[in-house]
Amino acid sequence: PVLADGSDILKPDISAPGVAIVSTGVATGTGSANLQGTSMAAPHVAGAAALLRQKHPGLDQSAIKALLQNSSVDSNATGDTDLARQGVGALRVDRAVALTSYASPGGVSFGRLNPITSANVKEDVRLTDLSGKRRTFGVTHVPNQTYPGVSVECPRDIKVNGKGSAKFTIRLKFDPRQAWREDVYDDAIVSQ
């Protein structure tokens, strides 16, 4: 999504419960209030991050964020689950605590593509093992949406030593001629 400030950072990063949340009612003494929005979702994410920090005190905040993102689920598999609405998915702290590895960053954005210029861009991802066992991970690209002329390449598998990490690269190539042949033009929302 294009943000109001014109940047190309994909937001939100993750979704959390934020509708019909019963919380402390300000100035009520002991009463409650039914609230919604980011003011209710943010404490859920902060609490989940605190639980992960307790389990993995040596991990930095980007690793904690990656664990939360890597363990998310589709918030509504039968409806609108666009990245601009839910980020990588809905928070599931039980799944995050159970992870024995993580990929960071948890979400990758290639930024805006110029719809009339060929592009060949890349983003690096680091896969880290927490289990202590040497493992091989399969890598799969599942597009959120497709666009003529865009192709994404990533390795088929990554080997990681126990308690180690390995870096791999995701490449995006764009040839605008294919989009033109199919009479498809970017509306500034696609190229994120």
Side-chain angles (χ1 to χ4, degrees):
V2 179
L3 303 179
D5 64 3
S7 67
D8 58 9
I9 298 171
L10 185 62
K11 293 292 180 183
D13 294 319
I14 195 167
S15 294
V19 176
I21 305 296
V22 177
S23 185
T24 305
V26 176
T28 63
T30 59
S32 61
N34 189 332
L35 302 169
Q36 62 186 21
T38 56
S39 295
M40 295 295 101
H44 278 85
V45 176
L51 290 171
L52 288 172
R53 171 71 72 199
Q54 184 177 11
K55 181 171 181 178
H56 303 289
L59 296 182
D60 66 16
Q61 66 270 18
S62 64
I64 298 293
K65 178 180 177 181
L67 283 166
L68 292 172
Q69 289 180 295
N70 289 185
S71 58
S72 65
V73 299
D74 196 337
S75 63
N76 183 2
T78 61
D80 180 5
T81 54
D82 187 279
L83 287 173
R85 292 185 56 110
Q86 73 166 6
V88 297
L91 177 113
R92 292 295 183 267
V93 69
D94 58 330
R95 291 170 53 124
V97 170
L99 287 180
T100 58
S101 62
Y102 64 91
S104 182
V108 175
S109 175
F110 292 98
R112 290 187 182 184
L113 298 176
N114 183 330
I116 59 172
T117 305
S118 295
N120 187 354
V121 293
K122 66 179 185 162
E123 288 290 331
D124 291 329
V125 176
R126 181 161 298 279
L127 184 57
T128 301
D129 173 71
L130 301 171
S131 74
K133 299 175 184 173
R134 179 176 166 82
R135 300 192 286 176
T136 301
F137 296 87
V139 180
T140 305
H141 166 250
V142 179
N144 179 56
Q145 61 184 343
T146 59
Y147 191 81
V150 172
S151 64
V152 176
E153 298 172 358
C154 56
R156 289 185 189 179
D157 57 73
I158 305 294
K159 295 182 187 320
V160 180
N161 289 326
K163 299 285 185 181
S165 66
K167 183 174 82 169
F168 66 95
T169 301
I170 301 172
R171 297 183 188 282
L172 180 140
K173 294 180 182 177
F174 173 56
D175 181 354
R177 294 171 294 186
Q178 186 175 344
W180 301 338
R181 284 190 292 272
E182 295 184 34
D183 203 29
V184 175
Y185 298 94
D186 184 10
D187 59 4
I189 298 298
V190 173
S191 62
Q192 307 289 321

